[in-house]
């Protein structure tokens, strides 16, 4: 036979320590194997699970490690076995900021010894095993200190010297002795997950907020003037009375005069036309300046403070784009794209053209200076006490920029909230959320049928985005007047508000267009408003008898009073025998809060049918009647069993928002016990 040829290209290396046998897999939660951070709210209990196991019959011990990013030392929490080699641990996050967590595990000789000892039956075998255990306890004593060391030495002596089999079993099964030994495990051959997973913790408003958008320039009391911050300040009690907690202002900067748009987005503007607030910048300043007709910084601060004392927080629109006469255009022409004739390229989304807006060129050779300047825009307004930013069209700017700027802002100001206004492809929306946007606009605006709503919100609640994508649902915006609001009348406005406010912890409306049921499109088949407030001043009669303001106040009160409606979890849809009825519950087990919602999706006709409930989800005893209290009408009904009848007239109120009262004394007695 020819001589055996040596193999080439194979590295014959040994692992650092082949005695390490514990395996850690499938840690949850995680986002893209730890590339991005999981999101939670301050005060949350973070639940972590992992598969931890080893070869053979030995037992493993597991610990959950966690720390705030600024802390050097890890804290450890024991993990408990769930079965099938799955382990669970948790910890509470107390303040906003970035945290880290990971899992460690090791083959534990003491656990393995106790497990085997309980199965031994031969007396001699038991005595030998006791001496083996004594050696393990002695080793633990060497790792211990003070009184624990003395107690462990005594325990080891008892194991060696006790001959009575029953007494030995009692010693080994004693939970106090077991807990003492477990304090000092042998972790020399410990396995540590190589990934430290990130966890971004936000303040409570990131998970629960009710937004109200309005144009300050349309708040003037007279019939023809330009509104000011002072006028807007006078509007604050009205907004607060409806129960909102975020007052969102479109851009408040100087508006370009060059190529200014006229009413209804026409290309020619008259001398008195006010233009679009999103065409930012003029000779009067740019992103760090205020529109002079709105007022001064002192006026802005007064509005901010008045809002705060009324329970409202200001949110500002950040739109990184420029009007042709923005100071950046002359000072930094390198930040913009130029056409072959030398002119600056304006924004386009064919067939739409935005002649009054110049987008930034993020591929400029001077991109680093551009990034720094845009960060300084955030820094300026944070210096004015703003901690919530609605970012316009973030999907048209580089992902790398958003990851950098959000991380930089939140490193020093972890209380800042970023809302991504990105109605675009799903993967792009999810990427922005992963990169750090606190909240995200959704497709709710175009989901109308029971099937569409059920599938979409089930995906949001239970899909892969549940650990990082926080939906913020808007039934309308200044850009979007959906068809259902154009044709559905008052009932459609009421139903869509209830859906937005109860399917999501965060929602908002563009008002006063919403409560006054503005519904005329610019043209048939379009989603733009006729006489859009984006291009003209509007006057709103807030005293109109048909205003939905009182109804909105009742919905927001229900959200404020019931923890089940204050987060995105705990959502379950229930079958109905009528496709025009949608039924779902929101449950918060910590606050013992259960809310059941039924909505008539047909804005024109009364709809009735039977809903089939999962009583276990609601925490209801199937053998006893229970009460449902409608938070919108204050009506109370006694229900019993799985199937119950509902009828909703859209001419009255097209929805029930029930608080579930879990026990009643009898079908004729409406007294209840929580």
């Amino acid at each position: 036979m020819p001589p055996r040829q040596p193999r080439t290209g194979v590295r014959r290396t040994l692992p650092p320590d082949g005695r390490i046998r514990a395996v850690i897999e499938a840690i949850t939660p995680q986002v893209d194997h730890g590339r991005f951070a999981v999101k939670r709210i301050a005060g949350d209990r973070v639940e972590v699970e992992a598969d931890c196991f080893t070869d053979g019959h030995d037992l493993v011990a597991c610990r959950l490690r966690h720390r705030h990013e600024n802390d050097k030392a890890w804290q450890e929490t024991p993990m408990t076995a769930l079965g099938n080699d799955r382990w669970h641990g948790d910890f509470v996050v107390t303040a906003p900021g970035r945290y880290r967590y990971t899992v460690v595990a090791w083959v534990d000789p003491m656990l393995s010894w106790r497990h085997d000892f309980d199965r031994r039956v031969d007396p001699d075998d038991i005595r030998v095993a006791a001496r083996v255990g004594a050696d393990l306890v002695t080793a633990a004593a060497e790792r211990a200190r003070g009184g624990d060391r003395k107690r462990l030495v005594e325990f080891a002596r008892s194991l060696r010297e006790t001959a009575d089999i029953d007494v030995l079993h009692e010693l080994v099964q004693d939970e106090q002795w077991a807990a003492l030994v477990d304090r000092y495990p042998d972790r020399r051959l410990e396995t540590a997950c190589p990934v430290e997973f990130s966890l971004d913790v936000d303040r409570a408003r990131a998970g629960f907020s009710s937004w109200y958008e309005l144009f300050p320039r349309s708040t003037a009391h007279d019939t023809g003037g330009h509104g000011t911050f002072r006028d807007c300040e006078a509007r604050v009690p009205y907004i607060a009375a409806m129960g909102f907690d975020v007052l969102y202002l479109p851009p408040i900067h100087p508006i370009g005069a060059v190529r200014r748009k006229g009413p209804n987005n026409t290309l020619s503007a008259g001398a008195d036309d006010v233009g679009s607030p999103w065409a930012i910048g003029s000779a009067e300043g740019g992103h760090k300046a205020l529109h002079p007709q709105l007022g001064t910084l002192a006026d802005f601060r007064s509005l901010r403070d008045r809002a705060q004392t009324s329970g409202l927080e200001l949110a500002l629109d950040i739109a990184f784009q420029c009007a042709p006469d923005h100071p950046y255009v002359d000072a930094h022409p390198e930040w913009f794209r130029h056409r072959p004739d030398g002119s600056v390229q304006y924004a386009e989304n064919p067939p739409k053209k935005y002649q009054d807006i110049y987008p930034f060129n993020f591929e400029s050779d001077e991109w680093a200076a551009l990034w720094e300047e845009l960060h300084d825009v955030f820094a300026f307004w944070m210096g004015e006490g703003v901690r919530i930013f609605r970012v316009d069209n973030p999907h048209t700017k580089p992902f790398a920029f958003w990851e950098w700027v959000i991380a930089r802002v939140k490193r020093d100001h972890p209380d800042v909230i970023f809302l991504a206004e990105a109605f675009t492809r799903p993967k792009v929306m999810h990427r922005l959320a992963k990169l750090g946007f606190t909240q995200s606009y959704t497709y709710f605006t175009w989901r109308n049928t029971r099937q569409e709503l059920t599938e979409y919100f089930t995906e949001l609640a239970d899909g892969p985005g549940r650990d990082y994508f926080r939906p913020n649902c808007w039934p309308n915006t200044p850009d979007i007047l959906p068809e259902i609001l154009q044709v559905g009348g008052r009932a459609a406005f009421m139903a869509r508000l209830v859906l937005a406010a109860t399917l999501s912890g965060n929602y908002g409306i563009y008002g006063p267009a919403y409560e006054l049921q503005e519904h005329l499109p610019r043209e048939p088949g379009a989603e733009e408003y006729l006489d859009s407030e984006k291009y003209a001043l509007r006057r709103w009669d807030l005293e109109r008898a048909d205003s939905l303001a009182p109804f909105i106040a009742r919905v927001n009160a229900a959200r404020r009073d019931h923890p089940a409606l204050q987060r995105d979890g705990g959502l379950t849809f229930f079958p109905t025998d009528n496709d025009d009825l949608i039924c779902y519950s929101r449950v918060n087990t910590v606050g013992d809060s259960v809310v059941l919602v039924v909505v008539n999706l047909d804005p024109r006709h009364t709809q009735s049918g039977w809903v089939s409930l999962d009583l276990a989800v609601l925490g209801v005893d199937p053998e006893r009647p229970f009460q449902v209290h409608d938070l919108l009408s204050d009506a109370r009904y006694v229900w019993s069993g799985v199937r119950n009848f509902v009828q909703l007239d859209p001419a009255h109120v097209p929805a029930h928002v029930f608080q579930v009262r879990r026990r009643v004394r009898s079908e004729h007695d409406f007294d209840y016990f929580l």
Side-chain angles (χ1 to χ4, degrees):
M1 294 180 62
R4 184 177 181 182
Q5 298 297 318
R7 291 189 299 168
T8 59
V10 178
R11 295 184 62 191
R12 298 183 177 181
T13 59
L14 293 172
D17 195 329
R19 300 172 298 169
I20 296 176
R21 298 163 50 209
V23 175
I24 302 172
E25 296 178 342
I27 295 177
T28 59
Q30 59 170 279
V31 180
D32 291 357
H33 307 288
R35 166 66 175 86
F36 300 107
V38 169
K39 293 176 184 173
R40 294 292 186 268
I41 299 297
D44 277 356
R45 183 172 296 278
V46 182
E47 309 277 347
V48 179
E49 293 186 6
D51 292 345
C52 302
F53 55 93
T54 188
D55 56 274
H57 302 289
D58 286 333
L59 301 185
V60 297
C62 307
R63 297 288 187 273
L64 171 60
R65 283 182 170 175
H66 53 93
R67 64 181 176 89
H68 190 281
E69 193 170 49
N70 295 335
D71 297 334
K72 293 182 179 180
W74 289 96
Q75 298 182 54
E76 284 194 352
T77 302
M79 301 184 75
T80 57
L82 299 175
N84 196 27
D85 294 318
R86 192 70 174 163
W87 294 75
H88 170 274
D90 58 62
F91 62 100
V92 175
V93 286
T94 57
R98 172 155 287 193
Y99 292 72
R100 305 280 184 181
Y101 64 94
T102 191
V103 173
V104 296
W106 62 93
V107 176
D108 193 300
M110 197 69 206
L111 290 176
S112 302
W113 171 79
R114 280 205 300 266
H115 178 261
D116 288 344
F117 190 93
D118 288 340
R119 297 187 296 169
R120 299 181 187 276
V121 294
D122 181 77
D124 291 335
D125 189 27
I126 291 173
R127 293 186 182 96
V128 171
R131 291 194 291 272
V132 172
D135 292 341
L136 294 173
V137 175
T138 298
E142 293 173 356
R143 295 186 290 271
R145 295 288 183 271
D148 285 352
R149 170 176 286 189
K150 293 180 180 179
R151 294 177 63 204
L152 288 170
V153 168
E154 178 60 30
F155 182 37
R157 181 182 301 112
S158 298
L159 290 173
R160 287 193 183 95
E161 296 178 356
T162 299
D164 189 296
I165 301 303
D166 292 335
V167 174
L168 283 174
H169 274 292
E170 290 177 2
L171 287 170
V172 174
Q173 293 170 359
D174 188 296
E175 294 297 333
Q176 291 186 345
W177 282 120
L180 179 60
V181 175
D182 288 345
R183 290 183 206 164
Y184 306 100
D186 182 358
R187 297 175 60 168
R188 291 172 299 167
L189 303 180
E190 176 180 274
T191 297
C193 175
V195 179
E196 292 182 8
F197 297 96
S198 299
L199 173 71
D200 281 343
V201 176
D202 295 297
R203 59 190 172 107
R205 187 151 285 164
F208 176 58
S209 58
S210 305
W211 294 51
Y212 186 88
E213 178 180 5
L214 91 164
F215 288 73
R217 69 186 188 183
S218 292
T219 58
H221 294 295
D222 57 51
T223 57
H226 190 289
T228 68
F229 288 132
R230 294 291 182 178
D231 294 324
C232 191
E233 187 174 332
R235 186 73 61 86
V236 165
Y238 165 81
I239 300 166
M242 284 190 287
F244 291 99
D245 48 43
V246 176
L247 172 56
Y248 155 46
L249 308 180
I252 53 177
H253 316 297
I255 296 173
V258 177
R259 298 180 185 169
R260 176 175 290 189
K261 292 293 187 71
N264 289 309
N265 201 23
T266 56
L267 294 178
S268 58
D272 296 328
D273 288 330
V274 292
S276 167
W278 283 271
I280 296 171
S282 70
E284 296 159 319
H287 285 75
K288 302 173 190 175
L290 293 170
H291 193 299
Q293 287 182 279
L294 290 176
T296 65
L297 266 178
D299 296 327
F300 174 81
R301 292 165 184 160
S302 179
L303 169 60
R304 177 202 64 201
D305 294 344
R306 175 67 181 277
Q308 184 175 355
T309 58
S310 300
L312 287 159
E313 185 173 357
L314 284 189
L316 293 190
D317 193 291
I318 295 292
F320 284 144
Q321 57 201 32
C322 299
D325 40 337
H326 192 297
Y328 287 155
V329 178
D330 287 337
H332 297 282
E334 70 277 8
W335 288 353
F336 302 90
R337 296 186 187 276
H338 292 77
R339 304 167 74 168
D341 62 1
S343 62
V344 178
Q345 175 64 59
Y346 58 76
E348 292 184 280
N349 183 17
K352 294 182 179 180
K353 295 184 178 182
Y354 304 91
Q355 296 88 342
D356 57 341
I357 292 174
Y358 289 169
F360 288 112
N361 176 17
F362 281 87
E363 294 181 351
S364 163
D365 291 341
E366 300 301 319
W367 63 269
L370 173 61
W371 283 25
E372 289 288 350
E373 177 62 19
L374 299 183
H375 166 267
D376 287 349
V377 172
F378 284 116
F380 177 85
W381 293 107
M382 288 188 293
E384 293 299 326
V386 178
R387 289 295 185 272
I388 305 180
F389 298 99
R390 180 268 200 187
V391 178
D392 188 71
N393 287 330
H395 56 290
T396 62
K397 286 80 179 174
F399 295 138
F401 167 72
W402 292 122
E403 185 169 21
W404 171 81
V405 75
I406 292 174
R408 182 169 173 183
V409 167
K410 300 200 76 169
R411 180 185 62 205
D412 300 321
H413 302 282
D415 59 335
V416 171
I417 292 171
F418 294 92
L419 169 59
E421 187 265 348
F423 297 109
T424 183
R425 304 184 306 281
K427 288 183 174 58
V428 176
M429 295 170 68
H430 279 254
R431 183 73 177 190
L432 291 167
K434 292 176 184 178
L435 293 171
F437 277 93
T438 321
Q439 300 175 0
S440 304
Y441 278 67
T442 71
Y443 299 139
F444 164 74
T445 318
W446 301 277
R447 300 295 185 265
N448 295 295
T449 68
R450 182 178 71 169
Q451 181 177 350
E452 289 172 344
L453 290 164
T454 300
E455 290 179 352
Y456 185 53
F457 281 92
T458 298
E459 174 192 336
L460 291 177
D462 300 326
R466 65 187 180 277
D467 286 319
Y468 62 83
F469 190 96
R470 286 201 195 100
N472 193 322
C473 294
W474 290 67
N476 76 327
T477 76
D479 295 295
I480 304 169
L481 173 63
E483 181 182 11
I484 185 64
L485 297 185
Q486 296 178 28
V487 302
R490 180 182 180 85
F493 280 85
M494 297 172 77
R496 296 298 290 177
L497 182 100
V498 169
L499 289 166
T502 59
L503 283 168
S504 175
N506 299 291
Y507 94 105
I509 62 171
Y510 153 53
Y514 201 90
E515 63 264 34
L516 299 182
Q517 304 141 68
E518 187 82 355
H519 65 280
L520 296 178
R522 190 179 69 192
E523 57 198 28
E527 288 189 331
E528 292 87 356
Y529 285 88
L530 179 65
D531 300 327
S532 170
E533 200 171 3
K534 288 177 61 179
Y535 307 103
L537 302 180
R538 292 291 304 271
R539 294 293 169 263
W540 303 100
D541 181 5
L542 304 182
E543 303 301 322
R544 264 174 40 188
D546 66 340
S547 172
L548 288 175
F551 178 77
I552 293 170
R554 290 199 298 274
V555 173
N556 281 334
R559 282 168 52 85
R560 185 175 59 252
D561 295 341
H562 294 83
L565 298 176
Q566 296 172 11
R567 297 294 288 275
D568 291 323
L571 174 65
T572 302
F573 289 92
F574 302 118
T576 69
D577 63 359
N578 181 341
D579 285 343
D580 286 317
L581 295 176
I582 188 170
C583 178
Y584 52 91
S585 69
R586 300 286 307 279
V587 177
N588 181 300
T589 55
V590 175
D592 194 28
S593 174
V594 182
V595 173
L596 181 68
V597 181
V598 187
V599 180
N600 179 358
L601 302 176
D602 178 357
R604 297 181 181 86
H605 304 100
T606 297
Q607 296 292 339
S608 61
W610 293 84
V611 299
S612 298
L613 305 175
D614 185 335
L615 299 183
V617 169
L618 302 179
V620 170
D621 184 348
E623 302 300 323
R624 304 187 64 175
F626 59 99
Q627 185 189 89
V628 289
H629 172 202
D630 192 338
L631 303 172
L632 303 181
S633 67
D634 202 35
R636 301 169 190 261
Y637 308 91
V638 173
W639 283 9
S640 181
V642 171
R643 284 171 52 83
N644 292 274
F645 182 79
V646 293
Q647 179 171 292
L648 287 165
D649 179 0
H652 179 51
V653 178
H656 291 305
V657 178
F658 289 128
Q659 179 185 9
V660 178
R661 310 283 196 179
R662 294 181 177 174
R663 289 193 301 162
V664 297
R665 293 174 181 167
S666 73
E667 294 186 9
H668 305 289
D669 186 348
F670 285 86
D671 290 340
Y672 60 84
F673 303 90
L674 293 178

